[in-house]
Amino acid sequence: MVSGTSRLLEIDAYGEVEMFSAARFIQNALIEIRKIVGESRVISACSGGVDSTAATVLVHKAVGGNLVAVFIDDGLRREGEPEFVMKTLRNLDIRARLVDAKEEFFDTFKGKTDAEEKRKAFRDKFYRTLGKVSAEEKIEFIVQGTIRADVIETVKGIKSQHNVLEQIGINPEIYGYRILEPLRELFKPDVRKVARELGLPKEVSERMPFPGPALSLRVLGEVTPDKISIVREATRIVEEETKELGTFQNFAVLHNDKATGIKKGRRVYGNIITVRIVESEDAVTAKAKQVPYSILMRICERITGEIPSIVRCLYDITDKPPGTIEFE
Ligand code: XMP
């Protein structure tokens, strides 16, 4: 949506190309959002990341009390995330609802092992859950934090981004509502500028990107509550040990295969974690970070020491391309 308001570069009256101005972007977006939405009610699917929170705050600024933010607790979030998101939204004076859909999401993943099949299952459950909430809230529009990289990669067929529908020929109206995507023409660095200009707290405007389908992309093979809790713990350890690196994304991935190891003096066949730490500007390309070995060793000791089922910890040195940032 809001096409024409969210240009990366703008042409001034003398035909000069100007750098992106967050203030001007916001000004134009507010006018356009008000024009599109009018007096209708709106919900915003907010995960707490910079994209969806900036989109939520922008639309809230435009339509005020006609917006309700919805955080779907799909059981796939990082430790403490549901509480963090709800607190952030309430601090911003935005009416916010937490929808507990953990069981339904885990049900939808049962028996699914293929990456694209899992993404599509997530997307379908995500939209159906939002559809239910929209019917309850009697809304007409749903706000999403889709950004330009999401659209580009989905259209190119690199992956089925969970929040990109129209671009791949799915009519969102089959889910019962219209979609508003005020940031869809921006890349990540400009989204951060908009977030800062909107006055979002630093923990949000500078927040490390985290994918919509969350930890489900970081459990290879079938997603189960047990596997999610293992990868959640490993993720916390990686994040704690890499806080100072200032890298683009730092996380853990749980493998579907097992390996032999030794725990408490006994041979065991246990789980494998890969640690991924990448530098990137906009997620379109990325470089595996040359992390000091002492940090990697500490992560490995903690992951294998604190999580009983893990016997191996690997480090991924693949750039994007040929890899992608996530494993699935
Ligand atoms: P890849 O793995 O394609 O990821 O190199 C590029 C960036 O996008 C994030 N990502 C997603 N974000 N929904 C999202 O909201 C998704 O389905 C999705 N898949 C990947 C990823 O974390 C990285 O920042």
Side-chain angles (χ1 to χ4, degrees):
M1 83 118 242
V2 200
S3 47
T5 60
S6 44
R7 283 173 224 121
L8 294 178
L9 295 171
E10 311 217 354
I11 314 285
D12 71 11
Y14 304 98
E16 299 286 321
V17 175
E18 286 177 24
M19 288 310 289
F20 172 76
S21 151
R24 194 168 36 230
F25 171 83
I26 293 169
Q27 224 176 25
N28 291 337
L30 291 179
I31 295 169
E32 188 137 351
I33 292 165
R34 287 184 188 125
K35 206 159 61 189
I36 293 173
V37 172
E39 294 304 310
S40 304
R41 287 168 55 80
V42 182
I43 60 172
S44 178
C46 187
S47 70
V50 60
D51 306 343
S52 64
T53 314
T56 303
V57 174
L58 191 59
V59 176
H60 182 249
K61 235 174 139 68
V63 307
N66 279 344
L67 172 110
V68 57
V70 176
F71 174 81
I72 298 177
D73 188 354
D74 47 23
L76 308 168
R77 303 289 127 186
R78 287 170 294 183
E79 210 173 283
E81 216 155 22
E83 299 77 12
F84 168 82
V85 177
M86 294 306 285
K87 197 170 131 213
T88 306
L89 291 168
R90 285 177 182 152
N91 286 345
L92 290 162
D93 285 330
I94 295 175
R95 187 157 73 89
R97 264 184 73 177
L98 183 143
V99 176
D100 183 347
K102 294 198 270 292
E103 260 181 53
E104 294 161 44
F105 273 83
F106 283 121
D107 270 355
T108 203
F109 284 124
K110 271 191 191 140
K112 299 198 171 70
T113 52
D114 174 75
E116 275 298 284
E117 199 189 5
K118 283 161 59 183
R119 275 174 180 282
K120 286 181 181 142
F122 178 89
R123 184 173 67 194
D124 197 53
K125 186 53 74 186
F126 177 82
Y127 280 100
R128 284 191 195 285
T129 309
L130 270 183
K132 255 195 251 161
V133 184
S134 359
E136 286 163 19
E137 294 282 340
K138 300 190 174 46
I139 61 101
E140 229 178 277
F141 290 92
I142 292 203
V143 182
Q144 288 196 157
T146 315
I147 68 169
R148 201 172 170 120
D150 303 340
V151 177
I152 292 173
E153 299 216 327
T154 299
V155 173
K156 275 200 208 148
I158 294 173
K159 63 172 180 248
S160 312
Q161 185 84 12
H162 79 286
N163 53 358
V164 179
L165 289 176
E166 285 166 281
Q167 292 81 359
I168 51 172
I170 297 178
N171 176 2
E173 283 174 17
I174 62 166
Y175 294 102
Y177 41 75
R178 293 164 69 192
I179 306 268
L180 207 57
E181 296 173 314
L183 307 176
R184 69 193 271 174
E185 292 179 32
L186 304 191
F187 282 108
K188 197 68 133 195
D190 289 336
V191 175
R192 291 200 196 281
K193 286 183 199 157
V194 169
R196 289 179 206 125
E197 184 71 28
L198 286 168
L200 298 192
K202 234 175 152 191
E203 307 91 74
V204 178
S205 65
E206 312 313 311
R207 198 163 175 81
M208 182 165 65
F210 186 62
L215 298 175
S216 73
L217 298 184
R218 298 172 182 179
V219 164
L220 307 188
E222 190 181 359
V223 174
T224 65
D226 281 353
K227 291 183 185 171
I228 289 290
S229 72
I230 293 172
V231 85
R232 180 180 288 129
E233 230 181 310
T235 300
R236 175 179 51 76
I237 295 171
V238 174
E239 288 187 7
E240 281 171 8
E241 296 299 330
T242 54
K243 257 198 243 125
E244 310 304 324
L245 289 178
T247 31
F248 186 76
Q249 268 176 293
N250 317 333
F251 58 89
V253 178
L254 177 66
H255 287 241
N256 202 14
D257 294 332
K258 293 201 167 187
T260 301
I262 301 168
K263 287 254 165 154
K264 296 185 179 153
R266 295 182 60 161
R267 197 180 161 85
V268 288
Y269 200 45
N271 288 313
I272 309 169
I273 284 280
T274 283
V275 175
R276 183 122 172 94
I277 302 175
V278 296
E279 294 180 300
S280 175
E281 275 291 312
D282 52 15
V284 177
T285 61
K287 284 229 155 281
K289 171 83 175 166
Q290 297 201 16
V291 181
Y293 204 69
S294 55
I295 296 182
L296 292 178
M297 288 304 291
R298 171 105 188 113
I299 293 173
C300 175
E301 275 162 22
R302 284 195 60 194
I303 287 181
T304 53
E306 293 174 28
I307 310 176
S309 72
I310 308 290
V311 293
R312 304 262 167 149
C313 187
L314 316 177
Y315 186 61
D316 183 1
I317 57 169
T318 318
D319 292 341
K320 173 183 181 178
T324 52
I325 294 177
E326 305 292 341
F327 268 44
E328 293 217 315

